[in-house]
Amino acid sequence: MTGPGSLAVRPLDPASRSEPRLAVDLGAVARNTRTLADRASGELMAVVKADGFGHGAVDVARTTLAHGATRLGVTSLAEAWVLRDAGLVAPILSWLNPVDADFPAAAVRDVDVAVPSLTHLAAVAAGPGRNRVHLHVDAGMARDGAEPEEWAALCRAARRAELRGQLEVVGVMGHLGCAEDPADDCNALGRTRFAWAVEAARGAGLRPRERHLAATAATLTDPRAHHTMSRVGAGLVGIDPSGTTVLEPAMTLTAPLVQVRRVRAGTPVGYRHAHRTTRATRLGLLPLGYADGLPRVASGRAEVLVRGTRCPVVGRISMDQVVVDLGRTGAEAGEQVTVFGPGAAGEPTVAEWAAWADTIEHEIVTGIGARVERRTLAAPYLRPLSTRSGA
Ligand SMILES: *Cc1c(COP(=O)(O)O)cnc(C)c1O
C-alpha cells in the first residue's frame, strides 16, 4: 500500500529494465538445424561446446535435438556434465580431454570419449567402466588427434582392449583444416587420410559404425566428407564459414544510452584522446566494453544502430564502455541501441564486427562477457520432422 507522503514507486517490470542484453533467438537455431540436417547425408551431431558458441549450451542442445540433430558434441567432459545435469539423454561425444580426465564417470554417465593417442587409450582402458570410444585421427592439421605414424598401433591396442572387455570402439573421427575453402588441396588430403584411417581400423578388426569428418563447412559444400555423421556447431548459430549458404544469425546485442552530451568541434574523446570530433555533435555512452566482448581492436571502425541510423563508435573501446557519435539522430539517454543483430533493421551484424576486429564470427559470439544479461526467445512451433525409420 502506498500511504500519503510515501514515495510512489512503481514496481519495475524486470523485462523492461534497460540493461545491456543479449537476446538469443532459438527459432533461428531451429531453422538452421533443419537446413543442416537436410544437407547432411548422415546423422547430425549438434556441437554445443563453449556454451553453445555463446548461445546457451542447454537451450541450443534442446532446440537442435527437436529439429533434426540426433547427438550432441562437446570438447570437455565438464561440458558434457552440464548437458546430463540438465536432463538431456541424447548420445554425447566429448573429444578433448587430458589423459587424467574422469573417464570412469564418462562411462557411468553414458558419454562417449574420443581417444587421440596410446596414452589416452591406456588411461581409458584402465578404468573400471567400459567406455564407448571414437578413435581420433589427425587428418592433417598437426593439432588434435593421433599422428598417422601412431594410428596402426593405436588401432591394434584398441582392438586388444576391446577383446578384453575394457572399452568399445564405436567410431573414428577426423577434422578438416581448410574446409571453408572447398577448393583447397588440403581437403583432398584430409579426406584421403580419413579413409585410410577407417580402413586401417577395420584391418585391425575394429568395426567403427560412426565415421565422422565434416563440420559445418564440409557439411554444406562436400558430400564426400559426410560419411555417417556431420558434427556442426557454427552453422547452428548462423555462421557459415564457407560463405555458400544463407543461415540465420541468432544473437542480438542491445544496450541503453546511459548518458548523452553535447560537444563542440575538436572535442577529444576517450583514452589517449584517440578521436577528436570534427563538428559539433552529440555523444552517447554505452555501458559495454571489451570485458563484455566488444573487441578493443575494433576501435575507430565499429558502428551501432541508433534510431535506425548507423552511428560510429568513437575513441578507444574501454573495458566497460564505449562512446558513440549520435550525430543528428536526436537519441536521448535511456534509449536502446543495437550493437549487432541479424541485420534486418540495418543494424551491424556479427560478421561486420568480426571484420572490424580482423577475426571470425566465432570469436565474437563466444566472447560476450558474463555480465551481459541473457534473454532467450523460444523456438516457435515448427512442423514435426518425419521420422527417418518410418516407424
Ligand atoms: C568445433 C568443432 C566442430 C564444429 O565445427 P563448426 O565448424 O563450428 O561446425 C566439429 N568438430 C570438432 C573436432 C570441433 O572442434
Side-chain angles (χ1 to χ4, degrees), residues 47 49 53 95 143 173 175 215-216 231-234:
V47 176
K49 63 188 181 185
F53 287 57
W95 59 72
R143 203 186 65 167
M173 68 180 285
H175 191 58
T216 296
R231 302 183 309 267
V232 298

Side-chain angles (χ1 to χ4, degrees), residues 257-275:
L257 289 167
V258 297
Q259 256 189 297
V260 174
R261 74 181 68 219
R262 224 172 256 290
V263 296
R264 42 179 108 230
T267 302
V269 182
Y271 282 127
R272 305 297 303 271
H273 296 174
H275 177 78

Side-chain angles (χ1 to χ4, degrees), residues 303-386:
E303 297 171 352
V304 296
L305 192 74
V306 184
R307 289 197 179 181
T309 300
R310 290 282 188 110
C311 294
V313 171
V314 291
R316 292 269 163 80
I317 293 175
S318 305
M319 184 185 291
D320 316 299
Q321 46 192 313
V322 294
V323 175
V324 176
D325 187 338
L326 298 172
R328 303 200 307 186
T329 56
E332 303 283 357
E335 278 184 41
Q336 295 293 319
V337 164
T338 305
V339 177
F340 60 68
E347 74 276 20
T349 59
V350 167
E352 286 180 87
W353 272 93
W356 292 327
D358 290 324
T359 186
I360 55 175
E361 293 157 82
H362 312 53
E363 192 174 344
I364 304 293
V365 295
T366 55
I368 304 302
R371 69 180 165 185
V372 177
E373 186 197 314
R374 264 72 174 170
R375 179 76 51 86
T376 301
L377 313 172
Y381 176 78
L382 298 175
R383 190 174 47 79
L385 292 169
S386 57

